[in-house]
Amino acid sequence: MQQRSSVGELVASLRADLNRYSPGEKLPSSRALIERYRVSPVTVSRALAALAAEGLLVTRPGAGAFRAAPRAAAPAAGDTSWQEVALSAESAPGPVQRSVDASGVTATLTTPPPGVIELSGGYLPEVLQPERALSAALARAGRRPGAWGRPPLEGVSELRAWFGREIGGPSGAVNASDVLVTAGGQSALTTALRALAPPGAAVLVESPTYPGMLGAARASGLRPLPVPADADGVRPGLLADAFRASGARLFVCQPLFQNPTGAVLAEDRRAAVLEAARAAGAFVVEDDFARRLAHEDAGPLPGTLRADDPDGVVVHVCSLTKAASPSLRVGALAARGPALERLRAVQVVDAFFVPRPLQEAALELVGAPAWDRHLRGIGGELRRRREAMLTALARELPELPTPHAARGGYHLWLRLPDGTDEAALVASALRHGVSVTAGRPYFPAESPAPHLRLSYAPAAGTEEIAEGVRRLRAAWEEPGR
């Protein structure tokens, strides 16, 4: 049983038993709960913490857990209908229109109900996260001199230097002074969009592309415009045409293991993409989210676009989050010239700085021998999961085209027959016990065809992936779907 399911089940059981205890009466010890419910100490600790957060329990270190006194009745809810008028004011005609829609992101962030196999998420499961290395890094970081003090606004210098070496590669083209430490990749993308394009401006994006970036752009009052991409990445000729037609000064792309298609920008297109941006006087935001998710059979990876750009055209975004833990929200922006100062100013105004203990823990993590071992380990495991999903799809859904299988990242992009109702299929899949992601939110404009994105990262293992695809087959065959 997955631990998150165990915690939820134990919380439900303890909540149902609370009426057996008087206010202030002590509950059984943690040891007794472990033996009674046959769960781990961590599960008991988390369940008790959840009930304490609800105000149902009071925990006293060294004494145990006690039923809390009854709470006073909650006050009657007020009338919030006035907010409809206040919020709808943004919809009035004007030069800048904002659209705040997080549905494309929440579909991949929300934890499925217990018993549902997750083929929709974007993070490694706990069994693949370097939890021991993270715990050790956090403990060491907390003992560093000055670890709890105020960090430099740009980030801890040693961490900036590490990111610079990673981004610049063998050329050494990126210095620590070119780097800003950010609170993860999503924060870095949002900062880049707000800093580099004024409200109301067009921003060019690959089609399809990452919904979180589309949501951030629209929430900033920007207009995402699609540039078609194929198996070799964005098409430079169409990109140049889009710059001329739209007047855009910003293009956001994922050159390596693109989300959701898995495409890698072809070698003969890299220079053409940069030249199209230079000709338009535009920036390229390079979202390099999957470099640390390369599979063991990926071979040598191309360098970053930023490493090939001496003129400050490319603004590079990367993060440690995907390869480590969803809670290690540490990333980087790399840029040059006035753009770097603009990025720094926007980040400072938004969030001041990334907490220093988190930066120090990230530095401890990537500097430890366990980090390289972890990356090799997930490279092998992601390859096995990729092959398991491809095998299951070939067995269970042979009538569908074989998806492109990138040797990096954590997902497959599945083309569905014309006329397929994506939303109905996703809902049916959930009823059959598997969560998958509809393709529509990945398109900035009209979707040319129905798709599903299937993620093999969050599942417990290859057997669960196979079972998830089997459940998807049952959903596919459901009458009246």
Side-chain angles (χ1 to χ4, degrees):
M1 181 183 295
Q2 297 181 29
Q3 189 176 76
R4 62 173 176 253
S5 300
S6 300
V7 172
E9 292 168 4
L10 181 56
V11 166
S13 297
L14 293 176
R15 188 186 293 115
D17 287 345
L18 278 179
N19 288 334
R20 297 167 49 193
Y21 300 91
S22 302
E25 186 176 354
K26 184 178 179 180
L27 272 67
S29 68
S30 294
R31 182 184 297 275
L33 294 175
I34 291 167
E35 294 176 356
R36 178 187 301 178
Y37 293 100
R38 296 186 178 182
V39 293
S40 71
V42 172
T43 299
V44 169
S45 176
R46 290 182 176 177
L48 293 176
L51 291 171
E54 293 179 21
L56 301 177
L57 294 181
V58 175
T59 57
R60 300 171 189 163
F66 302 80
R67 182 180 176 183
R71 290 174 293 181
D79 179 8
T80 60
S81 58
W82 66 271
Q83 294 182 7
E84 296 182 47
V85 178
L87 295 174
S88 66
E90 291 193 355
S91 301
V96 177
Q97 298 293 316
R98 292 200 312 161
S99 173
V100 184
D101 181 5
S103 58
V105 182
T106 54
T108 61
L109 291 179
T110 303
T111 300
V116 174
I117 294 174
E118 184 178 3
L119 300 183
S120 56
Y123 294 113
L124 299 177
E126 290 184 7
V127 295
L128 293 185
Q129 294 171 22
E131 288 193 342
R132 291 181 64 182
L134 282 164
S135 297
L138 193 59
R140 292 194 301 270
R143 295 192 295 268
R144 284 186 167 208
W148 295 92
R150 182 173 57 195
L153 296 180
E154 299 83 358
V156 171
S157 59
E158 296 90 342
L159 186 57
R160 296 170 68 200
W162 182 85
F163 273 118
R165 291 192 297 272
E166 290 281 300
I167 298 166
S171 69
V174 179
N175 299 317
S177 58
D178 298 333
V179 176
L180 299 174
V181 177
T182 68
Q186 182 69 17
S187 175
L189 279 174
T190 302
T191 296
L193 290 166
R194 291 187 57 219
L196 302 177
V203 53
L204 303 183
V205 301
E206 297 162 314
S207 182
T209 191
Y210 167 51
M213 184 274 297
L214 294 176
R218 290 170 177 144
S220 299
L222 305 178
R223 296 180 293 114
L225 301 180
V227 182
D230 56 26
D232 290 324
V234 70
R235 297 165 62 182
L238 294 180
L239 177 63
D241 292 343
F243 273 128
R244 286 191 292 269
S246 66
R249 294 294 181 265
L250 186 61
F251 169 54
V252 184
C253 68
Q254 297 174 325
L256 185 64
F257 308 132
Q258 197 257 5
N259 181 12
T261 66
V264 176
L265 185 62
E267 180 64 29
D268 60 354
R269 294 188 181 185
R270 291 166 61 94
V273 166
L274 296 183
E275 183 53 39
R278 286 192 187 96
F283 292 99
V284 174
V285 174
E286 177 186 23
D287 181 4
D288 198 29
F289 81 101
R291 185 167 296 272
R292 297 174 187 87
L293 299 175
H295 302 175
E296 65 181 2
D297 58 351
L301 300 182
T304 65
L305 294 180
R306 173 64 184 81
D308 296 334
D309 166 47
D311 303 322
V313 172
V314 178
V315 174
H316 183 95
V317 171
C318 65
S319 171
L320 296 176
T321 306
K322 292 290 188 186
S325 163
S327 290
L328 187 68
R329 305 213 60 79
V330 175
L333 277 165
R336 295 190 67 192
L340 180 63
E341 293 306 310
R342 177 76 66 84
L343 291 162
R344 177 183 181 274
V346 170
Q347 175 165 290
V348 169
V349 167
D350 281 351
F352 291 0
F353 46 75
V354 178
R356 184 158 193 154
L358 202 56
Q359 295 190 56
E360 298 283 4
L363 192 57
E364 287 281 355
L365 177 69
V366 299
W371 177 243
D372 287 336
R373 290 198 300 270
H374 167 66
L375 294 182
R376 289 194 298 270
I378 61 173
E381 179 62 23
L382 288 174
R383 180 192 64 80
R384 288 187 286 274
R385 288 164 176 252
R386 180 194 77 206
E387 294 304 313
M389 181 169 278
L390 288 170
T391 299
L393 286 171
R395 180 178 63 250
E396 302 291 348
L397 292 164
E399 63 268 43
L400 299 182
T402 301
H404 169 64
R407 295 185 177 184
Y410 51 83
H411 55 268
L412 299 178
W413 184 237
L414 194 62
R415 170 68 153 83
L416 303 176
D418 290 342
T420 302
D421 187 333
E422 290 178 4
L425 179 57
V426 169
S428 175
L430 195 59
R431 289 194 296 272
H432 282 83
V434 59
S435 65
V436 297
T437 309
R440 179 65 190 88
Y442 291 80
F443 291 93
E446 290 79 5
S447 172
H451 290 82
L452 285 183
R453 196 194 76 153
L454 303 180
S455 174
Y456 45 80
T462 55
E463 292 183 2
E464 190 168 270
I465 290 171
E467 173 61 17
V469 175
R470 189 195 67 77
R471 296 181 186 185
L472 180 60
R473 175 71 200 190
W476 181 259
E477 295 177 339
E478 183 179 69
R481 167 178 51 79

